[in-house]
Amino acid sequence: MSDVSPPLAAVIGWPIGHTKSPVLFRYWLDRYGINGHYIPIGLRPESFESGLGSLANLGFQGVNVTIPFKEKVLAIAHSVSDRAALIGAANVLSFKPGGTIFADNTDGYGFSENVRQQQPDWDPKAGPAVVLGAGGAARAVVSALLKEGVPEILIANRTRQRAQNLADANGARVSVIDWNSAGIAAKEARFIVNTTSLGMTGQPPLPVSIEAASGQTVVAEIVYSPLETPLLKQAKAHGLRTVDGLGMLLHQAVPCFHQWFGVRPDVDAELRKLVLGE
Ligand code: ATR
């Protein structure tokens, strides 16, 4: 019998019941025949630091981090990747030998990979992007679009100051437009993305018309429940290319799985079906 324990990883959050991460990690472990484990752990905020220390001591490779810890983890990590520092949040922590914790953010990567997989012909450099929303998800999306080479990003958010803060943090290629003008800006946009929670099951639809958008515009979502949001329905009715939000969730996990379990996993139709069915 081997004395080497199988690799372990987890997702931590509070509450943790909503997370879909274990479904996708277990699918990949199974598919690649890896003897490893990935578990959801509800960690009370008051036990956050001690809980993380225990996981590191128990030999966990690392953890995914979800609400409400994504920002808080930056303060306790010993090192932080540039992209996590820029976004101001981490979705993954790796426990390194010697007890150090490395924080990274793969949400922007997940966003870009998802767009690339669903719309391989999208040319980021073709024209401006309109980003709807200015919360945590918007920070990851803006950094991803900048990295892809989008020439200009216009942010529209209900609370204008939040959009301004995001623009200020990202330099001259990013500016703010009025929440009520987002539909007008859609005319020039080559890419439109909703990063707000509007359109999600139980939430009102996004009050933005994309009727003015040209046929070359790609319309993307980060909401994946429902998979076809009112925004995506509207886009399809206008003959626009669309990107649903499910793939961002799946692709952000790819580098985490690779790092912890040694295989770079595929995001395929079967995985999408499995996660949607949950
Ligand atoms: P996340 O980390 O998921 O992005 P968040 O930081 O709470 O969550 O951001 C939620 C985003 O949805 C924000 O852009 C928010 O707008 P405000 O900054 O004005 O709050 C947007 N949002 C949520 N509910 C909204 C609503 N009813 N109308 C317009 N925007 C809404």
Side-chain angles (χ1 to χ4, degrees):
M1 213 164 80
S2 164
D3 59 354
V4 178
S5 309
L8 303 172
V11 52
I12 58 164
W14 184 261
I16 196 66
H18 64 281
T19 180
K20 290 182 187 271
S21 293
V23 176
L24 61 116
F25 276 83
R26 285 172 189 161
Y27 168 85
W28 283 331
L29 286 168
D30 216 41
R31 174 157 172 204
Y32 296 106
I34 296 168
N35 178 25
H37 299 279
Y38 184 94
I39 55 170
I41 298 179
L43 199 57
R44 288 183 177 279
E46 60 272 23
S47 313
F48 172 64
E49 274 194 58
S50 60
L52 270 183
S54 303
L55 292 174
N57 287 335
L58 283 169
F60 276 71
Q61 311 287 318
V63 292
N64 285 122
V65 182
T66 184
I67 292 167
F69 301 129
K70 289 180 90 166
E71 275 118 31
K72 194 171 165 177
V73 290
L74 294 189
I76 61 136
H78 301 91
S79 63
V80 175
S81 69
D82 289 347
R83 57 190 180 179
L86 187 71
I87 294 166
N91 68 323
V92 47
L93 299 179
S94 295
F95 303 134
K96 300 289 182 194
T100 57
I101 298 177
F102 173 65
D104 193 10
N105 194 314
T106 62
D107 286 337
Y109 165 86
F111 175 78
S112 294
E113 286 298 302
N114 182 36
V115 177
R116 237 192 298 281
Q117 190 175 45
Q118 293 192 44
Q119 292 300 340
D121 294 337
W122 174 59
D123 174 11
K125 300 187 174 74
V130 171
V131 173
L132 304 164
R139 294 205 298 271
V141 166
V142 167
S143 73
L145 291 174
L146 286 172
K147 193 159 175 239
E148 291 297 322
V150 170
E152 187 187 5
I153 298 176
L154 306 167
I155 306 173
N157 192 50
R158 175 180 62 177
T159 310
R160 193 183 168 103
Q161 187 57 49
R162 260 186 121 186
Q164 192 61 56
N165 295 346
L166 182 51
D168 291 348
N170 281 285
R173 276 153 70 198
V174 188
S175 54
V176 177
I177 54 169
D178 206 68
W179 179 235
N180 298 318
S181 314
I184 301 164
K187 193 172 175 202
E188 307 303 327
R190 287 294 168 270
F191 190 83
I192 301 171
V193 53
N194 174 41
T195 74
T196 75
S197 45
L198 295 172
M200 199 182 277
T201 308
Q203 294 272 339
L206 189 76
V208 173
S209 165
I210 51 164
E211 222 160 90
S214 87
Q216 293 123 54
T217 310
V218 171
V219 179
E221 265 290 0
I222 64 151
V223 170
Y224 57 83
S225 176
L227 196 58
E228 187 170 89
T229 61
L231 175 72
L232 294 185
K233 256 197 192 112
Q234 199 193 144
K236 281 183 185 164
H238 281 80
L240 306 181
R241 291 172 290 164
T242 61
V243 177
D244 67 58
L246 180 65
M248 181 177 176
L249 169 79
L250 307 180
H251 283 283
Q252 60 79 30
V254 168
C256 307
F257 189 92
H258 187 197
Q259 190 181 345
W260 297 331
F261 299 111
V263 172
R264 191 159 194 93
D266 276 337
V267 172
D268 57 18
E270 200 181 329
L271 176 62
R272 282 175 59 89
K273 224 165 91 187
L274 179 73
V275 174
L276 275 179
E278 275 293 303

